[in-house]
Amino acid sequence: MKTRFAPSPTGRLHVGNIRTALQNYLLAKRHGGQFLLRLDDTDAARSTPEFAEAIKVDLERLGMSPDATFRQSDRFARYEEAFDQLKRDGRIYACYETPEELELRRKVLLGRGLPPIYERPESENAPVDGVAPHWRFRLDHASAIEWDDGVRGPQHFEPAKISDPVIRRADGSWLYMLPSVIDDADHAISHVVRGEDHVSNSAVQLQMFDALGATRPALAHTALIVAAAGKLSKREGAKGLEALDEEGVEPMALLSVLARIGTSQPVEPAHDLNALAAGFDLSTFGRAPARFDWAEVAQVNARLLHEMDYAEVADRIPEGVDAARWQVLRGNVERLGELEDWVDVFDGEIAVPALDEEDRAFLEEAAGLAEGIAWDEGAWSALTGELKARTGRKGKALFLPLRLALTGRGSGPEMAALLPLIDKKRAVARLRA
Ligand code: GLU
């Protein structure tokens, strides 16, 4: 099992291609195979080394380190060789039409009610003086294109109904189609998982594998991502790693959602990629679009944090939150960014809302009592038990003024767990203040 993720380094990763990377990563890992990163940078005008670097960093950050990385711009000599071979075999031919001519021909065909398929020459196109040719791949019309798609099931294409694809421009630059096949063949890629927008490319590419005498990979085309309600807006879809940085979303929250949408399996918070890989199964993918919602990611994020051990978050939470404090706080945060404020509850200043005279007197009494009790797991029940007996207060009237004075908030973790983690002197001072 060998898979690859083949982004063009023309931008940062977004939810759509993070999902494609994830599917290929999980498929490989599920079967103990390898996952390759291929940078499709043949478009020199739009590809940048900065984006290539960002993609590597981002994959690393998401935990999907590739077993090997290569870029297409390093392989031009190899493409040239394959090009020559296919030309010798009569599978690549030169074309001299201008875009305007092609457009005109298309219109004529459409006008006659015919499909606008490129009308290939009988044998070779006659060279046109002073015009550098572009190049097309000659589809074999004699053999129907068939494959059993890992998601879509049996596929059938009639090559005569497809235009011979342009594979190389007149300036010698490469289009996506052929280099991808050469790379997949040379790297012995066994499985290609990608979006269903590539289905018709696949039909053409399978004939290229055959023409090169290469083994065809298994193919699976997954339904595309849409927003939970309607279309995924450009902004929502383009958001990827920025959301992790700016909104404190855990990588595993995003990946937990992306791994399961579009499948018959429920979205569950997964703590690591191995857990997702164990359940990854192409046969559970449906044909309906995969519904994606950042709100679901936020929910999964909260559920994930509530279950996370200190060791899983220690490297990215504020220093003031140690293992004991994390244990108490984790059930009350939806994003790690909220922890900053909680550090102040332990070690800093808190703002307490105005309290009435009666509550103030009650807290004064609480302060005096607090001084005398043992500051351990029993502190809260000792304090409230004694206060209840003395004042007759119970329920909210008993607990809320204490919580407000001690934490500055009306809600939060169990006070029994929280109180002993606040320094006793500080707690007494807050009650008194
Ligand atoms: N660079 C292509 C893309 O991002 C790769 C497609 C493929 O997986 O072959 O669409």
Side-chain angles (χ1 to χ4, degrees):
M1 175 75 65
K2 210 181 204 185
T3 65
R4 71 351 181 237
F5 170 49
S8 300
T10 55
R12 266 190 101 177
L13 297 181
H14 51 77
V15 288
N17 55 19
I18 292 172
R19 180 167 173 251
T20 301
L22 180 64
Q23 290 165 345
N24 284 284
Y25 179 88
L26 295 178
L27 184 62
K29 296 303 151 184
R30 165 86 206 249
H31 298 279
Q34 288 200 309
F35 168 71
L36 269 48
L37 170 63
R38 180 184 91 202
L39 295 160
D40 284 5
D41 60 352
T42 57
D43 183 345
R46 293 175 57 233
S47 305
T48 73
E50 289 75 25
F51 282 133
E53 190 51 35
I55 288 171
K56 287 186 204 168
V57 170
D58 287 347
L59 276 184
E60 209 73 42
R61 166 106 191 268
L62 292 166
M64 297 189 274
S65 308
D67 296 298
T69 299
F70 68 101
R71 40 179 195 174
Q72 293 194 315
S73 57
D74 283 338
R75 291 183 36 86
F76 288 143
R78 171 67 185 115
Y79 302 155
E80 206 67 53
E81 188 182 291
F83 179 80
D84 289 342
Q85 178 199 329
L86 293 174
K87 212 159 65 170
R88 275 198 305 276
D89 295 345
R91 297 303 297 272
I92 287 179
Y93 60 96
C95 298
Y96 298 86
E97 298 93 351
T98 62
E100 294 74 28
E101 277 169 52
L102 289 172
E103 187 50 29
L104 188 64
R105 281 207 210 170
R106 248 175 60 84
K107 284 195 180 136
V108 170
L109 287 170
L110 286 171
R112 291 199 208 130
L114 296 168
I117 299 166
Y118 176 74
E119 291 166 295
R120 64 155 69 138
E122 280 306 316
S123 51
E124 292 291 307
N125 279 318
V128 177
D129 263 357
V131 177
H134 57 277
W135 304 86
R136 287 186 191 257
F137 176 77
R138 187 187 301 278
L139 290 167
D140 175 5
H141 286 185
S143 46
I145 304 164
E146 293 182 331
W147 77 92
D148 191 10
D149 194 277
V151 171
R152 298 163 67 89
Q155 302 291 300
H156 177 103
F157 283 82
E158 282 302 330
K161 293 187 181 156
I162 307 174
S163 296
D164 285 343
V166 176
I167 50 138
R168 200 171 186 184
R169 300 185 191 88
D171 65 3
S173 63
W174 297 97
L175 282 113
Y176 151 76
M177 210 72 92
L178 182 61
S180 175
V181 171
I182 299 168
D183 292 336
D184 287 344
D186 288 357
H187 285 273
I189 297 300
S190 66
H191 291 69
V192 173
V193 184
R194 55 191 179 189
E196 64 187 357
D197 50 332
H198 280 290
V199 170
S200 55
N201 289 343
S202 289
V204 164
Q205 288 181 319
L206 286 178
Q207 282 215 347
M208 293 179 175
F209 279 100
D210 298 348
L212 289 167
T215 309
R216 295 174 167 198
L219 297 171
H221 296 86
T222 58
L224 300 182
I225 285 193
V226 296
K231 204 168 158 281
L232 192 64
S233 77
K234 227 175 166 152
R235 199 182 64 82
E236 296 289 279
K239 232 166 52 165
L241 277 291
E242 297 84 352
L244 309 195
D245 299 336
E246 289 158 23
E247 291 163 38
V249 174
E250 291 293 299
M252 283 312 301
L254 178 61
L255 298 176
S256 295
V257 172
L258 289 178
R260 295 290 184 262
I261 53 170
T263 79
S264 56
Q265 301 188 65
V267 171
E268 294 289 349
H271 290 254
D272 57 43
L273 285 161
N274 291 336
L276 288 179
F280 187 78
D281 182 353
L282 282 175
S283 74
T284 64
F285 279 73
R287 295 284 297 266
R291 306 211 161 269
F292 177 78
D293 190 352
W294 280 105
E296 184 171 26
V297 176
Q299 278 166 21
V300 171
N301 196 71
R303 287 173 62 196
L304 201 54
L305 291 183
H306 299 170
E307 314 171 340
M308 274 187 169
D309 290 332
Y310 178 65
E312 289 178 81
V313 292
D315 61 347
R316 53 189 191 286
I317 61 178
E319 239 174 76
V321 181
D322 61 10
R325 289 176 177 182
W326 169 251
Q327 198 64 28
V328 166
L329 292 177
R330 65 178 188 176
N332 283 271
V333 289
E334 296 186 349
R335 289 175 295 110
L336 288 183
E338 297 164 24
L339 289 173
E340 274 314 332
D341 292 344
W342 281 104
V343 173
D344 290 338
V345 173
F346 294 112
D347 301 323
E349 298 297 317
I350 54 167
V352 179
L355 295 160
D356 61 30
E357 268 317 305
E358 223 177 302
D359 280 343
R360 295 172 71 91
F362 167 71
L363 291 170
E364 182 65 46
E365 183 153 17
L369 274 174
E371 270 172 335
I373 61 173
W375 216 242
D376 54 23
E377 312 84 76
W380 178 252
S381 70
L383 178 65
T384 53
E386 188 59 31
L387 280 167
K388 186 176 177 183
R390 289 201 192 180
T391 65
R393 286 193 183 216
K394 54 183 198 271
K396 200 172 158 197
L398 173 65
F399 299 121
L400 188 60
L402 293 170
R403 182 184 279 280
L404 285 172
L406 288 163
T407 71
R409 302 160 181 242
S411 65
E414 287 286 331
M415 285 303 294
L418 189 63
L419 186 60
L421 299 180
I422 300 173
D423 175 70
K424 184 176 184 178
K425 271 214 196 84
R426 188 186 298 275
V428 170
R430 282 180 183 171
L431 291 171
R432 194 147 276 145

